[in-house]
Amino acid sequence: MNPETAALVRALKDDATAVVEEWMRELQATTQGGLHASAKAEATAVADGLRSALEAGGDAQSLQGPAWQALRRTLEQLSASRAAKGDSAGATSVFVLGLKKPLFGRLQQVFAQDPAAMGSALWTLSALIDRLAQHTADTFQQSREDVIRRQQEDLLELSTPVVKLWDGVLAVPMIGTLDSNRTQVVMETLLQTVVDTGSALAIIDITGVPTVDTLVARHLLKTVTAIRLMGADCIISGIRPQIAQTIVHLGIDLQGIVTKATLADALAQALKTNGWRISREA
């Protein structure tokens, strides 16, 4: 272990509490809105992880190797926690970069009589903390993307509910643009509900779909085909005049598929198909 690394390890071991306290004071002075309640515990974990990695022979010029594994995991957990709390990648990086100042001061004291060694030690420390902050920012971005992806999946499920209208009759009211991902969610949810409820007929209502092009029509046909393979039948409702004209102009063949102008018409057809007849009381 070279003298610069040895001095850094001593500062993190012998003066660990003071380093973390100074780190927190520096962040408190520069962070708007104050620090998270877990900030001190997170800082302590990072400082301990850095000391352990250097003591284990970790190369200060890289975060690769088994010596850095525990610290990388600590930073990844920090990033995931901050992403879940709504922090930004920049704020999370600034948190890690705050470790520089307290360590700078201690290295300056150790190498006060050797300017060349001081310059080398400060450069090594600065580059190392920068790499820690960059790793934190990278993993933060991945954590945020994971959160966004889960939220998108949840929104897709919420935007395509399968509703039981009657015994044996299901409906999927669709609103907005249809794409491959959303159609796949609709198909999986609808098929599973057909199995769970034993329904024999499903209504796909596209009243809320603004336009129907070749791609949308292809998605609808795939969904209808999948439903029929499960032994159920399907009705497409919400065929407005504009959509009817578009389908004709595009030459899309919906032959063999029952279509209705409104969801009410589709439900009436479904009940009739299942042998129900509803009459108004006099």
Side-chain angles (χ1 to χ4, degrees), residues 38 41 44 166 180 211 228 260 266 273:
S38 58
T44 301
W166 201 271
S180 299
T211 59
R228 287 178 170 175
K260 294 294 180 181
T273 301

Side-chain angles (χ1 to χ4, degrees), residues 2-234:
N2 59 45
E4 293 87 353
T5 303
L8 183 55
V9 169
R10 283 197 302 273
L12 290 168
K13 175 183 278 188
D14 300 338
D15 211 10
T17 301
V19 167
V20 171
E21 292 293 343
E22 187 175 340
W23 185 1
M24 292 298 97
R25 287 196 298 271
E26 180 67 20
L27 290 174
Q28 188 71 50
T30 58
T31 303
Q32 295 182 351
L35 300 177
H36 290 300
S38 58
K40 187 174 182 178
E42 292 169 341
T44 301
V46 172
D48 289 345
L50 178 57
R51 174 185 53 77
S52 298
L54 293 174
E55 285 182 328
D59 183 5
Q61 305 300 321
S62 170
L63 295 184
Q64 302 304 314
W68 294 103
Q69 184 174 356
L71 180 56
R72 288 200 306 269
R73 186 163 53 248
T74 296
L75 294 174
E76 289 160 8
Q77 292 171 349
L78 169 66
S79 298
S81 174
R82 293 295 180 108
K85 292 175 182 176
D87 283 0
S88 66
T92 306
S93 295
V94 167
F95 175 82
V96 177
L97 291 171
L99 179 57
K100 276 188 181 184
K101 187 173 181 179
L103 292 179
F104 270 26
R106 282 156 180 80
L107 291 182
Q108 286 172 331
Q109 292 175 1
V110 173
F111 297 104
Q113 304 304 318
D114 189 347
M118 181 192 298
S120 177
L122 294 181
W123 174 258
T124 299
L125 173 61
S126 181
L128 175 58
I129 300 299
D130 286 346
R131 276 189 286 274
L132 296 181
Q134 184 61 52
H135 182 72
T136 304
D138 292 342
T139 55
F140 179 97
Q141 185 63 30
Q142 182 61 48
S143 298
R144 178 56 60 87
E145 290 175 357
D146 291 341
V147 170
I148 292 173
R149 185 175 62 254
R150 289 195 299 271
Q151 290 175 339
Q152 288 175 334
E153 292 172 355
D154 292 341
L155 287 174
L156 277 177
E157 294 180 359
L158 290 174
S159 66
T160 52
V162 179
V163 182
K164 184 176 180 180
L165 297 180
W166 201 271
D167 288 340
V169 181
L170 303 176
V172 183
M174 308 191 77
I175 300 174
T177 304
L178 293 178
D179 55 22
S180 299
N181 290 335
R182 189 176 180 200
T183 305
Q184 184 65 29
V185 172
V186 171
M187 189 182 300
E188 292 175 357
T189 305
L190 183 53
L191 293 179
Q192 186 60 49
T193 308
V194 167
V195 172
D196 294 342
T197 62
S199 299
L201 201 150
I203 300 171
I204 300 177
D205 183 69
I206 61 172
T207 304
V209 177
T211 59
V212 172
D213 55 18
T214 304
L215 183 62
V216 171
R218 188 180 299 119
H219 289 325
L220 289 173
L221 291 175
K222 287 181 179 179
T223 303
V224 171
T225 301
I227 292 171
R228 287 178 170 175
L229 288 174
M230 295 296 297
D233 208 348
C234 185

